[in-house]
Amino acid sequence: MSELGKGSASASTAAPAPGSDTYKGWLFKWTNYLKGYQRRWFVLSNGLLSYYRTQAEMAHTCRGTINLATAHIDTEDACNIVLSSGGRTYHLKASTEVERQRWVTALELAKAKAIRMMNDQSDDSGDEEPTSQSDRSEIQGTLKILVSKLDDLSTCNDLIAKHGAALQRSLSELEGLKVPLEGGEKIKAVNERATLFRITSNAMINACRDFLDLAETHCRRLQRALQYEREQRTHLEETIEQLAKQHNSLERAWREAPTHASSTPSAPATGQGSERVNKEDASDEDEDTEYFDAMEDSHAFITVTATDSTQHRRSQSNLSGASGGQASDWNQDDHMSPSCNDVSGKELLPRRQRRTHIPDKPNYSLNLWSIMKNCIGKELSKIPMPVNFNEPLSMLQRLTEDLEYHKLLDKAARCESSLEQMCLVAAFSVSSYSTTVHRTAKPFNPLLGETYELDRLEEFGYRSLCEQVSHHPPAAAHHVISQRGWTLWQEITIASKFRGKYLSIMPLGAIHLQFHSSGNHYVWRKVTSTVHNIIVGKLWIDQSGDIEIVNNRTKETCQLKFSPYSYFSRDVPRKVTGVVADSGGQAHYILSGTWDDKMESAKIIQSSRGGSGSEGKQKTVYQTLSPKLLWKKYPLPENAENMYHFSALALTLNEPEDGVALTDSRLRPDQRLMEEGRWDEANSEKQRLEEKQRAARRRREAEATDALDEECDYDSGRDYERYQPLWFHQRRDSVTGETNFVYRGGYWESKEREDWTMCPDIF
């Protein structure tokens, strides 16, 4: 508002006469309640009103454009102008009433000229607000006229054919005449038919002329409309080119900027943050205020960063400084209370050197017909799928990849505040999806009884064990225990639905996490993963849905929303937002980020009710402190694109180790052959293992049938025990009430004894 005086002189001198084709000048544009009206440079040309922050931006960056041909021009008071077109509205303010009138005159003239370009010369050019309904009515009327003319042509054609045939018959009769009297009558009949033929032909010619005139008239109109659309397309291409240049310049500036950039001070937060009117939707610029989508069962919310002597507003520069640099910064910086970063207990041994690469993926072509022709007449479960669709890891190993960011749980175990601990648990739940963004290949389906261990006790203080406990439906049980104060267990059953163009993968089952010192017990479930372009195009993966994390001891909750990708959305792709609330529903932290890059948290210091959003839901305005980085994705290893886009942890998962169980995924031969690049041998070995598993299932079914027959023949038949996993057994969970497979113990003791005699022969 204070800048209104600065533009008064320049606005009047910079603009040419309103009657010219181009009109330029300074106006004040409404942005939001924090910034109010901001001074912008406006350019009116070719029926389009565009604006820029400065005159220098005209060469490379356009901030917005509105088409006057379909715009409504209104004046609120002595200096205000309101432009609305479709869902876009500009609230503008001139420095003086005279300057406002100049702009209104120029806008009205430009609008009339733009409408004349779209309409036919014979149409009424005074209609300044053509509607789509009138356009549709005009097109329908034109089509009816054209159809009627075509019907006239068809009728004339039928008459010409009829009279032509009659004329031919008359001429034939004339040739056979013998009596002069009869000849006169016949000649008279021929003349009459020739006259009818001439009249009909003239009618057809006139109908054709009318049709041609009408077609030419509408052709000229279509040509003008096409020319207008071409001009609009050219303008759009120029705008896109300007945006591309701006994007490149921003990238260069970001790369050339120092690692730790200074942050910009915050704009004062006013009490108007909760008063939302229609002007809020008028701004289409990038503002510092963030708008989050509403949770499914909660209100939408807006976050406003608070102003403090030690707190600064988030900007692009300090974001790059916080998130740039080493990928492990999030683990070293003090983003929570000091208790979260205190290292207690003895230091663990140095890390063991692990492998950092695997053989490059072979460039084998895949003949889909060779697969399809082998499917004819076979059961779906017996179709041998080649390893070309796989990556050299099993589903058990992919499940273990959730532990890549285990340091989040180590840090959470040291937190005294359960709400801060909830933020880190939420970041951990999101981090498990970071490895999926480029991983479009499917893992190997584990064989029944297959296991996988990840022993990182000496390096990171935890041990992990997975076992395939069921084959139909496929289910895996997972148990992790850490010396740093936490235990995690889960049973995951994969359900999938093929929906034509994409495949939905829905993990079923709850994930449990318990911290030893506090007894906090967290439970959550995974979201739906969707693989797009199954039939045609490049495969890509998206995550969508909601996650509710519940601390069953304190009843605190965290609601996370994974926004599905939309081509028309202005949100950041792969966006995740969330709210951490106490047992009474009071929000304490706002979470935001993306599931493939990073997550941040901001502490709420004040909240208030705002106006209704676009969907009619009431928004809540949260005033927060500066956001803190919770988690950031590790960079992929060098040459990862040729190694199935594996992360640093994934490269080590299939590394051979001594002392593992005989059922460990590392010993699976088809998976090992695929990793070594011997895909033909891997396909043969994969088919052998699958047939061996089917034979084992048939034996179990036969034993079950025999046991049932003996029970029917005799009073006391022998008992038949169904397949039981080796290291897990079913127990009812006291929290969820579900029956799950949990770790029964004994695996690590067997490893210490080097005794694997109880393991079945599955490979």
Side-chain angles (χ1 to χ4, degrees):
M1 293 292 190
S2 62
E3 295 187 6
L4 281 172
K6 290 192 285 184
S8 59
S10 60
S12 60
T13 59
S20 60
D21 292 338
T22 302
Y23 193 70
K24 304 177 182 179
W26 291 101
L27 289 172
F28 293 89
K29 179 180 178 296
W30 175 265
T31 56
N32 59 27
Y33 276 98
L34 292 179
K35 292 188 174 182
Y37 283 94
Q38 295 294 316
R39 192 166 176 256
R40 298 290 184 259
W41 179 254
F42 281 82
V43 177
L44 175 60
S45 178
N46 296 326
L48 299 175
L49 180 65
S50 305
Y51 73 94
Y52 312 83
R53 288 190 176 178
T54 62
Q55 298 183 48
E57 280 193 347
M58 292 178 60
H60 56 83
T61 304
C62 178
R63 297 291 174 177
T65 301
I66 194 168
N67 186 0
L68 294 178
T70 58
H72 179 70
I73 304 174
D74 193 12
T75 54
E76 290 185 341
D77 52 29
C79 297
N80 282 25
I81 306 172
V82 179
L83 295 176
S84 59
S85 177
R88 178 175 297 182
T89 303
Y90 288 172
H91 292 262
L92 309 178
K93 182 185 288 290
S95 57
T96 63
E97 185 175 358
V98 174
E99 185 62 27
R100 192 281 305 269
Q101 189 57 43
R102 288 179 180 175
W103 273 104
V104 171
T105 303
L107 292 171
E108 294 287 0
L109 292 175
K111 176 179 177 179
K113 185 176 180 180
I115 293 175
R116 285 197 300 270
M117 291 176 60
M118 299 176 61
N119 294 337
D120 185 68
Q121 293 179 354
S122 61
D123 292 341
D124 182 11
S125 61
D127 184 11
E128 297 182 352
E129 294 183 16
T131 62
S132 58
Q133 184 64 34
S134 63
D135 292 340
R136 286 196 296 269
S137 300
E138 182 180 0
I139 293 174
Q140 291 174 358
T142 302
L143 290 176
K144 289 180 180 179
I145 296 174
L146 291 176
V147 169
S148 65
K149 292 299 180 182
L150 285 175
D151 292 338
D152 294 342
L153 289 175
S154 177
T155 303
C156 291
N157 181 65
D158 295 337
L159 291 174
I160 288 173
K162 177 181 177 181
H163 293 305
L167 181 61
Q168 291 293 330
R169 288 195 302 270
S170 298
L171 291 176
S172 299
E173 293 173 357
L174 185 61
E175 293 177 355
L177 285 179
K178 295 180 180 180
V179 182
L181 181 61
E182 294 178 355
E185 295 178 354
K186 293 296 181 182
I187 291 174
K188 183 179 179 181
V190 169
N191 289 333
E192 291 176 354
R193 288 183 172 87
T195 301
L196 290 174
F197 189 85
R198 185 175 63 255
I199 294 173
T200 305
S201 300
N202 290 335
M204 176 181 172
I205 291 172
N206 292 332
C208 288
R209 185 181 296 112
D210 294 339
F211 182 84
L212 181 61
D213 293 339
L214 187 61
E216 287 178 348
T217 301
H218 288 281
C219 183
R220 288 193 296 269
R221 172 176 291 185
L222 292 176
Q223 286 177 344
R224 286 191 293 271
L226 179 61
Q227 179 64 26
Y228 178 80
E229 294 299 330
R230 285 175 176 170
E231 293 175 356
Q232 294 296 315
R233 178 181 176 181
T234 302
H235 183 270
L236 180 60
E237 289 175 349
E238 292 173 353
T239 304
I240 292 175
E241 184 179 0
Q242 292 174 357
L243 291 175
K245 291 179 180 179
Q246 181 190 17
H247 183 266
N248 292 334
S249 63
L250 288 174
E251 283 187 341
R252 288 195 300 270
W254 181 79
R255 287 194 294 265
E256 295 170 0
T259 304
H260 299 284
S262 60
S263 59
T264 58
S266 169
T270 66
Q272 295 174 331
S274 60
E275 300 176 4
R276 301 294 177 191
V277 295
N278 292 334
K279 286 186 178 182
E280 186 70 25
D281 299 328
S283 175
D284 59 353
E285 301 184 56
D286 294 333
E287 304 296 342
D288 292 330
T289 303
E290 294 188 52
Y291 296 84
F292 293 89
D293 291 335
M295 294 296 179
E296 183 174 342
D297 296 321
S298 63
H299 299 291
F301 59 88
I302 305 172
T303 59
V304 181
T305 310
T307 303
D308 189 75
S309 59
T310 59
Q311 301 292 338
H312 298 282
R313 188 84 182 250
R314 177 170 50 168
S315 65
Q316 183 64 32
S317 59
N318 61 30
L319 267 180
S320 61
S323 304
Q326 298 296 324
S328 59
D329 289 347
W330 58 267
N331 190 58
Q332 298 171 358
D333 295 341
D334 184 10
H335 297 292
M336 293 293 183
S337 60
S339 62
C340 291
N341 296 291
D342 294 337
V343 179
S344 59
K346 64 179 181 179
E347 293 295 330
L348 300 178
L349 298 178
R351 299 182 183 179
R352 167 186 165 186
Q353 189 66 29
R354 305 280 180 179
R355 69 179 184 181
T356 57
H357 68 277
I358 59 175
D360 288 356
K361 178 182 179 180
N363 188 17
Y364 287 159
S365 60
L366 181 61
N367 188 349
L368 291 177
W369 171 243
S370 64
I371 301 172
M372 297 301 296
K373 68 181 182 181
N374 291 330
C375 300
I376 299 174
K378 292 186 177 180
E379 296 181 12
L380 186 61
S381 61
K382 296 183 179 180
I383 297 174
M385 298 302 293
V387 298
N388 304 58
F389 294 104
N390 291 55
E391 62 181 15
L393 288 178
S394 73
M395 187 62 198
L396 302 180
Q397 291 165 316
R398 283 288 292 267
L399 198 59
T400 307
E401 276 193 78
D402 290 356
L403 300 174
E404 179 147 17
Y405 299 95
H406 62 90
K407 291 183 179 179
L408 287 169
L409 301 184
D410 297 342
K411 189 175 181 179
R414 299 191 295 269
C415 283
E416 295 179 358
S417 169
S418 58
L419 291 171
E420 292 180 358
Q421 189 178 76
M422 175 69 84
C423 293
L424 291 168
V425 172
F428 175 79
S429 68
V430 175
S431 70
S432 62
Y433 299 98
S434 63
T435 62
T436 65
V437 63
H438 299 297
R439 304 272 289 279
T440 56
K442 66 181 291 290
F444 279 79
N445 292 328
L447 302 174
L448 185 62
E450 185 175 336
T451 61
Y452 180 76
E453 68 160 71
L454 188 67
D455 191 350
R456 295 292 190 265
L457 189 64
E458 296 180 352
E459 299 159 86
F460 302 117
Y462 71 84
R463 278 176 163 174
S464 168
L465 176 65
C466 292
E467 182 178 4
Q468 188 75 1
V469 296
S470 173
H471 190 65
H472 290 293
H478 186 203
H479 182 268
V480 190
I481 186 168
S482 172
Q483 291 183 343
R484 300 186 179 180
W486 53 270
T487 300
L488 182 145
W489 67 95
Q490 59 180 321
E491 179 193 337
I492 297 297
T493 301
I494 301 298
S496 60
K497 289 185 179 180
F498 179 64
R499 304 180 186 273
K501 293 183 180 180
Y502 60 92
L503 177 70
S504 296
I505 303 172
M506 297 154 286
L508 307 177
I511 303 173
H512 297 258
L513 173 66
Q514 188 168 21
F515 292 97
H516 303 164
S517 59
S518 63
N520 290 334
H521 185 173
Y522 298 88
V523 180
W524 70 93
R525 300 174 189 273
K526 290 181 174 288
V527 296
T528 299
S529 301
T530 306
V531 184
H532 294 269
N533 295 342
I534 293 294
I535 304 299
V536 178
K538 184 179 179 181
L539 294 175
W540 61 279
I541 293 180
D542 192 23
Q543 316 289 345
S544 60
D546 298 332
I547 292 181
E548 182 184 30
I549 307 176
V550 179
N551 184 343
N552 287 279
R553 188 183 72 85
T554 63
K555 304 305 177 184
E556 296 163 347
T557 60
C558 174
Q559 300 285 344
L560 290 174
K561 180 179 180 61
F562 287 65
S563 301
Y565 174 79
S566 174
Y567 181 81
F568 302 100
S569 175
R570 299 177 63 181
D571 288 336
V572 178
R574 309 179 186 96
K575 179 181 177 182
V576 181
T577 55
V579 177
V580 176
D582 57 23
S583 58
Q586 179 67 34
H588 290 266
Y589 286 91
I590 295 295
L591 305 180
S592 62
T594 57
W595 54 262
D596 67 326
D597 185 23
K598 65 181 179 182
M599 287 296 293
E600 296 175 333
S601 68
K603 185 176 179 60
I604 299 172
I605 58 177
Q606 186 178 354
S607 64
S608 59
R609 293 294 182 185
S612 299
S614 59
E615 298 180 357
K617 295 183 178 180
Q618 188 177 27
K619 290 184 178 180
T620 301
V621 181
Y622 291 130
Q623 192 176 14
T624 67
L625 299 178
S626 297
K628 303 298 182 182
L629 187 65
L630 292 173
W631 158 78
K632 183 169 177 60
K633 179 184 176 182
Y634 297 140
L636 291 177
E638 185 179 358
N639 195 38
E641 64 275 7
N642 295 322
M643 297 186 296
Y644 308 91
H645 290 96
F646 280 177
S647 63
L649 174 63
L651 289 174
T652 67
L653 292 179
N654 207 42
E655 184 178 8
E657 288 193 13
D658 297 331
V660 298
L662 302 179
T663 53
D664 196 272
S665 298
R666 298 178 181 88
L667 304 178
R668 181 165 174 165
D670 54 348
Q671 187 173 301
R672 181 65 60 190
L673 289 170
M674 182 188 179
E675 181 183 284
E676 295 172 355
R678 299 152 62 183
W679 284 19
D680 292 336
E681 299 175 57
N683 280 321
S684 301
E685 195 63 25
K686 183 173 181 290
Q687 192 169 357
R688 181 189 67 83
L689 290 175
E690 291 174 351
E691 185 56 39
K692 182 176 182 179
Q693 181 173 235
R694 295 189 193 101
R697 185 180 72 247
R698 287 193 294 268
R699 285 196 302 271
R700 288 194 301 270
E701 292 174 352
E703 291 176 0
T705 302
D706 294 342
L708 183 61
D709 292 341
E710 291 183 11
E711 185 176 355
C712 294
D713 294 340
Y714 304 99
D715 293 337
S716 59
R718 63 184 178 89
D719 294 333
Y720 171 75
E721 185 177 1
R722 300 181 60 185
Y723 175 81
Q724 295 295 331
L726 198 57
W727 310 110
F728 290 81
H729 58 175
Q730 283 187 318
R731 291 291 183 270
R732 180 173 294 276
D733 188 86
S734 59
V735 174
T736 64
E738 300 174 350
T739 301
N740 298 322
F741 281 95
V742 296
Y743 180 57
R744 72 168 71 194
Y747 180 88
W748 304 109
E749 292 78 7
S750 296
K751 183 178 180 180
E752 292 177 0
R753 298 193 307 267
E754 299 182 0
D755 179 18
W756 302 115
T757 55
M758 72 294 292
C759 293
D761 178 18
I762 61 174
F763 299 142

